[in-house]
Amino acid sequence: MDTKNVWFITGASKGLGLSLVKQLLQQGYNVAATSRNIEDLSRAVGQADNHFLPLSVDLKTEASVEAAINATIAQFGRIDVVVNNAGYGLLGSIEELTDQEARENFDVNVFGSLNVVRSAMPHLREQQSGHIINISSIGGFTGNFPGFGIYCATKFAVEGFSESLAAEAKAFGINVTIVSPGYFRTDFLAASSLGVPSRQIDAYEAVRASQQAHQTQINGNQPGDPEKAVAALIRIASEQNPPLHLFLGQDAYDMAYTKINAVKNELENWKAMTVSTGFDAESVIA
């Protein structure tokens, strides 16, 4: 990919987003990056030149997102790669998480990304090219994580609308890739990025055990190297035929196949019931 191409990245002040911005700038790309706090973003990136445009954006406000897209066009003349990276984890059982806590997670993880897509698509359609990369999670492919039901639901939603978006955008020369990472050693499991319920129900022993494990054992010991994940993102953006689904990490690969095999087994075990629910041929003829 031409290093004059322009990347637009949300959630860029930490984690994978920050690593991505830094690698792109090192390679000479033009980068517009967003965060809720522009000072934190600029300080974290540590670079101020014509290749880097830091933007303060409230992803939940459509006008704020649209202003950021327009500022990027004004600065660089176009947008080539959009990365919806902003989001946060939420750990709590379905019962104990409040309506407000659940909706807030959807507002950022799902509707924030949709605001970006809606604002970017007119420009990508006009130039008949582009690549939208939506950062999901292995939790967007399998929900077998006690305590992560709402978070998984947000990422399942991202994967669902991304598959439809890919079908819609193909006619305009626009690619879509869903990235589903496993556990990568970022601050995703730190208190600043992982929400917990305001009221906890002790009866959910599996959820409390999961919470304890993620906050004290898994955090800081994740097997995935974020710098390698970022290099993979840059590589797929240069591919002529990039994947719709990209899983990152051996753990994500293994968990994906565990679900695929489980679904295949259930399909076959219950095939007779599944295929018995249509109208009989005689009824159709009659």
Side-chain angles (χ1 to χ4, degrees), residues 21 60 64 81 95-96 102 132 145 160 172 193 221-222 257 278:
V21 169
K60 296 187 293 182
S64 178
V81 184
E95 180 185 352
E96 64 191 351
I132 297 173
F145 298 96
F172 307 109
S193 298
N221 295 301
Q222 298 96 322
Y257 263 109

Side-chain angles (χ1 to χ4, degrees), residues 87-97 101-102 105-106 109-110 136-157 181-184 187-191 193-197 204-219 222 255:
Y88 70 94
L90 184 61
L91 205 169
S93 72
I94 300 295
E95 180 185 352
E96 64 191 351
L97 287 169
E101 288 167 335
N105 205 211
F106 270 87
N109 293 6
V110 181
S136 178
S137 165
I138 186 57
F141 187 78
T142 173
N144 190 25
F145 298 96
F148 281 96
I150 295 299
Y151 173 75
C152 287
T154 69
K155 293 305 184 179
F156 268 72
Y183 288 100
F184 278 80
D187 53 5
F188 177 76
L189 295 178
S193 298
L194 183 66
V196 295
Y204 284 99
E205 295 180 1
V207 174
R208 298 285 79 79
S210 176
Q211 182 176 339
Q212 174 72 11
H214 280 86
Q215 292 178 321
T216 64
Q217 299 170 27
I218 299 175
N219 187 28
Q222 298 96 322
M255 284 186 276

